[in-house]
Amino acid sequence: TAWNSRPFCEIPEFGESYDLGVNLTHDEGSAVMCEKVNGRQKSGRIRTLPGEIRLLGDWAKYLFAAINHRALNLFNLVDIYVGMGGVRHQPWAHYFRVDDAAAKEAMTLLRASGFQGKGKLVGFQLGASERHRAWPVENFAMLAEQLHEDPDVEIALLGDDKEIALGSRLARCTGRPVINLIGKTQLRQLPAALKS
C-alpha cells in the first residue's frame, strides 16, 4: 500500500521504538499511522488489520462511545486524554506563577465584581470553543443551587465576551448572586483570578 512505499517508510520517527503511542484523533489516516509506529503499548484508534479499525485501551473506548453524547459525558476531555496516556489521575497542585502585583490586581477585580472573601470561591467556565462541547447552562445552574446551600461559597463566572449571554442565562436560572468576570479578565489576569 501507499503507507509502505517510499518516502513514508524512510521517516526517521517511524524507525524509532517508543514505550507508548497514543492516537488522540479520529480519522483512518491517524489509525494507520498509529499502526506503523513501533510502540510497546498503544492507545486510541489503530488499524490492526487491513480494513479493520480498533480501539485500544479503556479510556479510548470510553471516548469513542461518548463522542456523540457530550452532554451525558461524565469526564472532561483532558481527563480522558490523560487516561489514554496512562497517567494516573490525581488532583492538580501546581499553578501558573503569579506575581504579587497580578494577584493584587485580580483581587481588586474580584472585589469590584462582588467578591466578599467569605470562604470557597468556585469558578464556572460556561462556554467552550464550540457550543456543543459545553455543559448545558441549566446544569451549571443546578450545580450553583447546590453549592449555594453552603453560605460560605461564592461563584465566579469566567470567560470571554462571546459568553456574556451564557452568564446572563445562568443568572436568570439561579436568581443567586454570582461574581461575573465574563469579558472582564485579560489573559495576564486570568491565572491570578484562577489561583484565587
Side-chain angles (χ1 to χ4, degrees):
T1 67
W3 294 100
N4 293 322
S5 65
R6 298 167 72 146
F8 183 81
C9 64
E10 295 177 355
I11 297 173
E13 289 78 10
F14 286 92
E16 296 285 330
S17 294
Y18 300 96
D19 292 329
L20 174 65
V22 181
N23 182 3
L24 301 177
T25 61
H26 310 287
D27 59 47
E28 186 174 357
S30 65
V32 172
M33 288 177 69
C34 194
E35 172 203 11
K36 297 296 182 183
V37 168
N38 183 16
R40 192 169 45 82
Q41 286 186 308
K42 296 180 184 180
S43 178
R45 189 172 184 189
I46 181 172
R47 188 184 80 157
T48 49
L49 297 171
E52 179 180 81
I53 301 291
R54 295 179 65 195
L55 297 170
L56 300 180
D58 292 340
W59 283 103
K61 291 172 185 172
Y62 179 87
L63 172 64
F64 282 87
I67 203 85
N68 293 321
H69 306 286
R70 293 289 303 210
L72 303 175
N73 184 11
L74 300 176
F75 295 98
N76 181 290
L77 191 57
V78 173
D79 294 323
I80 295 171
Y81 286 166
V82 165
M84 287 175 69
V87 178
R88 186 174 154 262
H89 289 87
Q90 58 189 5
W92 186 254
H94 304 287
Y95 298 94
F96 289 108
R97 179 170 289 153
V98 175
D99 62 38
D100 292 340
K104 185 176 180 181
E105 188 177 339
M107 191 53 67
T108 300
L109 178 61
L110 281 164
R111 292 205 183 278
S113 301
F115 178 58
Q116 297 173 17
K118 46 186 185 173
K120 293 177 185 170
L121 179 60
V122 179
F124 284 4
Q125 169 70 44
L126 302 177
S129 59
E130 295 178 36
R131 185 67 196 117
H132 73 278
R133 295 181 177 202
W135 209 35
V137 171
E138 294 74 21
N139 291 11
F140 278 109
M142 287 188 288
L143 178 57
E145 288 294 327
Q146 290 177 347
L147 290 171
H148 275 123
E149 291 176 9
D150 181 340
D152 292 334
V153 169
E154 296 179 80
I155 296 173
L157 306 182
L158 305 166
D160 62 27
D161 291 339
K162 294 179 284 192
E163 296 159 7
I164 290 173
L166 295 174
S168 298
R169 255 179 72 201
L170 178 76
R172 284 194 306 273
C173 288
T174 64
R176 301 284 188 130
V178 294
I179 301 156
N180 193 343
L181 300 179
I182 295 176
K184 296 180 183 177
T185 55
Q186 301 299 318
L187 188 57
R188 65 184 181 80
Q189 297 165 318
L190 190 56
L194 290 173
K195 188 169 183 180
S196 299

